Amino acid sequence: GFLAGAPQPPGPKPIPQVGEIFDLSPTFRNLSQSLGARLPLPLSEVAGSLSDLAAATAGLLLSSASREQRQQLFEERDSHGRNSFHYVAAAGSAAVVDSVTAVLREEGEAFGQEAKVSMVQALAAVDERGNTPLDIAHLHWGSKGPVEKKSSFPAGPVVAAFQSLGRELGLREATLRPSKKLSSIPEALKKAARKKGKTSQPTAGGWDATRMDPWGTPACDVLELHDVNDLDGETFFTEFVAKGRPVILRGAGRHLPHAEAFSKESFLGKFGKVQVPVSAIPYAESFGAASSAKTLEEVAALPPVPVNGTEEELAAALSYTFTTPSGEWVADVMSAAPPPPFLKEVFSKFPDGSFEFQFYLGPAGTGAPVHFHGHAVNVLTHGAKRWLLYPPAHGFYSKSPAAAHFGAVLGGGHDGPVPLQCEQRGGDIFFVPALWGHGTFNVEQSIGVAYEVALEPFCME
């Protein structure tokens, strides 16, 4: 953001050349040298290494620019109303904000009053979604997101960095806190959230409903909405996508075509002979893990995977298919499981957006390791699965089998912050916002689809 909107003064440019990048950022160099060699890889470490590099660039740029150029730099906006600070906040770049604060302190009055005013206005500026840079910092990296349960994770450093910059500029403390709108919820949705226990029990669709859950059924820490079959796209986007708020829509998937198309008899009658990749973790080959191929009929017949094995034994249990369908069956399965109406409405507002259709089927004991990506809507048609969720500042990528991680976190002896939990049941729709770390564990044989959504090129959206 800084570089894209930077004025170009005459004379030598302070932008680093390619050969200088590693010297400017040792953390970026170290991360680059270790990529592909180790997992888990925390999102905060990736963001930190890149922001370290960007901070050095921003410091050079600001310290060498004139007062007029500094003012212009903070006045720049993109077509969505976002300025440099919006992008810095989305990326979690505390080092960049600290670099700006350091230049501001060093320069003092020489920084320029007009440039300071421009900076204050940039911090208060709202984008087309109504978010200031501080809003975005709190949304993506704050200690408590707009969820039912307060997170036990500490805030990411970018929040404190923006607060420090604000104090240096003389802003009031009240303006440095999250906007109340981030945690607000319309009265209609409050009413839907109060209907707990009124949603009828899910059906198994003929699939194996034997439960494997040694840790006990959890309370749901994210917002639960009941009887919201008529949820519209604008409400979904405004209240959940734009606010980065996880939500589970209880029973909202039972009225979709998926319910009948994915009953065991109907599904295997149509797709049973289709061959799919099977592994212990989704997309295993991308992580150098073992994978094989089976027909969906064969996957449906696989027994539950015991959760008390070693990590090596769990990794050898090739029982889960989580795949992006291709070939002859893709058109038929996508027709059988179209996106929910509210999601179709959101797509219509973003003509350049897209979604990736994914299908999954596996016995109890299978699941997905903790990972993160852009926005995702998960429709569990039949079965039951547990979720662990980590706020973006604490998301990470892992290739450890789901049972191993769930056992480590929920089985006692875990001394770190406790992730948010929830159980999704057949007919429920789960929304996971961009960058939220999440892992799943099938406590019953489960079948469903997921839609990974790309709306615009802003912070994995």
Side-chain angles (χ1 to χ4, degrees):
F2 272 100
L3 298 182
Q8 295 298 313
K13 305 296 188 295
I15 309 303
Q17 301 301 307
V18 173
E20 299 175 289
I21 289 178
F22 280 174
D23 290 334
L24 279 170
S25 178
T27 56
F28 181 73
R29 177 188 63 221
N30 294 338
L31 178 75
S32 299
Q33 292 172 342
S34 69
L35 282 177
R38 62 187 178 88
L39 287 173
L41 186 63
L43 175 58
S44 57
E45 187 173 333
V46 178
S49 69
L50 295 174
S51 67
D52 184 68
L53 170 63
T57 305
L60 287 171
L61 183 63
L62 273 181
S63 59
S64 64
S66 68
R67 294 184 179 186
E68 292 75 18
Q69 289 165 339
R70 289 168 180 162
Q71 180 180 352
Q72 180 184 348
L73 178 63
F74 293 108
E75 289 174 349
E76 293 287 339
R77 304 285 188 273
D78 69 8
S79 60
H80 301 284
R82 297 180 182 122
N83 59 50
S84 301
F85 283 141
H86 283 98
Y87 283 89
V88 169
S93 300
V96 172
V97 184
D98 288 339
S99 179
V100 172
T101 305
V103 173
L104 185 62
R105 287 172 179 162
E106 291 168 5
E107 295 279 331
E109 292 300 319
F111 190 86
Q113 185 59 32
E114 293 80 3
K116 289 183 181 179
V117 170
S118 179
M119 195 184 298
V120 170
Q121 292 172 341
L123 286 172
V126 296
D127 64 8
E128 64 182 8
R129 297 187 185 180
N131 291 328
T132 68
L134 277 163
D135 288 338
I136 291 175
H138 283 291
L139 272 176
H140 287 295
W141 310 102
S143 61
K144 54 178 181 179
V147 293
E148 291 288 87
K149 174 185 174 184
K150 182 177 179 180
S151 170
S152 60
F153 291 94
V158 72
V159 173
F162 268 112
Q163 290 172 335
S164 179
L165 174 60
R167 294 183 188 107
E168 190 69 23
L169 290 166
L171 299 182
R172 294 180 294 109
E173 286 294 321
T175 65
L176 305 179
R177 303 189 189 110
S179 298
K180 290 184 178 179
K181 71 179 182 67
L182 299 184
S183 57
S184 66
I185 181 171
E187 189 56 42
L189 295 186
K190 286 182 182 179
K191 185 177 179 180
R194 288 194 289 264
K195 294 181 178 180
K196 292 186 178 182
K198 294 188 177 181
T199 302
S200 60
Q201 291 299 308
T203 59
W207 301 93
D208 186 2
T210 304
R211 287 183 67 87
M212 180 182 291
D213 190 0
W215 311 293
T217 303
C220 190
D221 299 325
V222 305
L223 182 66
E224 299 176 86
L225 299 182
H226 303 258
D227 298 333
V228 287
N229 302 325
D230 58 350
L231 180 68
D232 62 89
E234 183 175 352
T235 300
F236 175 72
F237 179 82
T238 302
E239 297 302 323
F240 305 112
V241 176
K243 293 182 178 180
R245 169 187 278 151
V247 65
I248 187 164
L249 310 176
R250 295 292 188 193
R254 285 180 216 153
H255 307 280
L256 300 177
H258 310 48
E260 173 56 31
F262 282 11
S263 67
K264 187 174 183 178
E265 182 179 1
S266 177
F267 180 81
L268 293 182
K270 188 167 187 176
F271 301 111
K273 303 303 181 184
V274 173
Q275 195 167 75
V276 292
V278 180
S279 54
I281 62 174
Y283 306 111
E285 292 182 353
S286 299
F287 300 97
S291 177
S292 67
K294 294 183 184 296
T295 65
L296 285 167
E297 205 169 53
E298 292 172 324
V299 177
L302 291 171
V305 176
V307 298
N308 55 356
T310 65
E311 185 161 336
E312 291 74 19
E313 291 170 337
L314 293 171
L318 310 184
S319 302
Y320 192 38
T321 183
F322 191 109
T323 184
T324 301
S326 60
E328 295 180 358
W329 78 301
V330 61
D332 286 340
V333 73
M334 289 183 70
S335 175
F342 65 81
L343 193 54
K344 288 183 179 179
E345 285 186 46
V346 173
F347 291 152
S348 70
K349 299 179 185 298
F350 292 87
D352 295 328
S354 63
F355 73 90
E356 182 176 59
F357 179 87
Q358 298 169 318
F359 167 83
Y360 59 85
L361 170 65
T366 59
V370 178
H371 59 290
F372 57 87
H373 43 62
H375 298 304
V377 172
N378 186 296
V379 180
L380 176 59
T381 308
H382 300 294
K385 64 168 65 183
R386 291 185 69 142
W387 290 73
L388 296 180
L389 292 101
Y390 297 79
H394 302 278
F396 58 93
Y397 238 98
S398 172
K399 60 181 181 182
S400 177
H405 182 72
F406 274 71
V409 172
L410 304 178
H414 178 69
D415 57 2
V418 179
L420 302 174
Q421 299 184 56
C422 194
E423 181 175 313
Q424 181 183 17
R425 299 183 288 272
D428 293 345
I429 300 177
F430 205 121
F431 170 64
V432 183
L435 298 178
W436 275 74
H438 57 282
T440 62
F441 177 84
N442 295 324
V443 297
E444 297 177 9
Q445 186 176 39
S446 295
I447 182 171
V449 295
Y451 313 89
E452 284 191 25
V453 181
L455 299 178
E456 58 169 314
F458 178 67
C459 198
M460 291 189 72
E461 294 197 354

